[in-house]
Amino acid sequence: MTDNRTVWNGHVEQEWVDYNGHMNDAAYALIFSRALDTMLEEAGLTARFIEQEQYTVFTLETHLMYLAEARQEQLLAVSVVILDQDAKRLHLWFEMLNDQNETIATSEQMVMGMDQAAGRPAPFSEALQRGFARVPVLSPENWPDKAGRSIEIKRK
C-alpha cells in the first residue's frame, strides 16, 4: 500500500506468542482492533465525544488474512486506507507490516456509526467526517488485489 496512514506501531509481546513460536491469530485481531480504535480516536471519536454525543462506531464485519508469521519482540506497524464510505459506514483496509516492510497480515473491515440513545445506526457527524477525511481513500481501481474477496474452498 503506497498511500496509507500508520495507526499502530509496536512489537510482538511474549504473551501473544503461541506453541508454534510465533504470534497467535488472536493477537493479529487484537492489533487490528487497536489500530481501528486509534484511527477512530484520531478522527474525533474520543471517550468524551462518545459520552457527550451518545454516538459510537460498531464493527459489522472483519476479514483477516494471515500472510506470514511474526515472532516475539518483532516490530510491527499497521496502516489504514478507506476503500469506500457512505453517510454511516466505512469500508476499511488495514495492512500489518513487519520490520522488513513486508505485509504479513491484512484486515478488511466494515464499521458503522451508531446512535447509542436510539440503539440504531446513524450518520457520522460533520466533525467525524472531517476526521475521516484525513485518512487516505483508494478508488476501486487502486484497491489491493485481496480486497473484497470472499472466503471459499476453490474447487477444480
Side-chain angles (χ1 to χ4, degrees):
M1 200 166 31
T2 57
D3 189 20
N4 60 50
R5 180 158 182 204
T6 300
V7 288
W8 187 91
N9 287 289
H11 66 277
V12 178
E13 298 181 20
Q14 180 181 357
E15 61 266 20
W16 297 348
V17 176
D18 64 16
Y19 49 85
N20 294 313
H22 53 74
M23 191 164 73
N24 70 38
D25 56 345
Y28 286 83
L30 175 66
I31 291 170
F32 282 124
S33 180
R34 288 180 177 172
L36 172 63
D37 289 346
T38 299
M39 186 213 86
L40 292 171
E41 188 170 316
E42 288 177 357
L45 191 74
T46 62
R48 182 180 175 142
F49 180 91
I50 293 167
E51 183 180 334
Q52 287 180 340
E53 302 297 321
Q54 291 295 292
Y55 186 90
T56 193
V57 171
F58 287 179
T59 300
L60 301 176
E61 185 174 348
T62 298
H63 185 177
L64 203 151
M65 294 185 68
Y66 306 95
L67 306 172
E69 295 87 16
R71 304 228 173 255
Q72 186 174 330
E73 296 301 321
Q74 188 169 23
L75 294 174
L76 304 174
V78 177
S79 59
V80 64
V81 295
I82 296 173
L83 298 179
D84 200 3
Q85 64 191 81
D86 64 16
K88 58 187 170 190
R89 292 174 296 189
L90 291 172
H91 181 182
L92 303 167
W93 180 263
F94 293 86
E95 289 190 5
M96 183 182 297
L97 296 114
N98 65 16
D99 47 3
Q100 283 83 50
N101 208 35
E102 300 164 325
T103 301
I104 64 166
T106 63
S107 180
E108 188 170 4
Q109 300 181 26
M110 183 72 68
V111 300
M112 182 168 57
M114 293 293 294
D115 179 327
Q116 291 181 305
R120 301 194 40 82
F124 299 120
S125 68
E126 287 183 27
L128 287 178
Q129 289 177 31
R130 284 191 302 275
F132 297 149
R134 294 191 298 267
V135 178
V137 178
L138 292 184
S139 58
E141 63 272 8
N142 293 317
W143 282 16
D145 291 339
K146 292 177 174 57
R149 291 181 55 193
S150 63
I151 191 168
E152 65 180 304
I153 295 174
K154 305 245 188 236
R155 307 272 186 208
K156 291 183 179 186

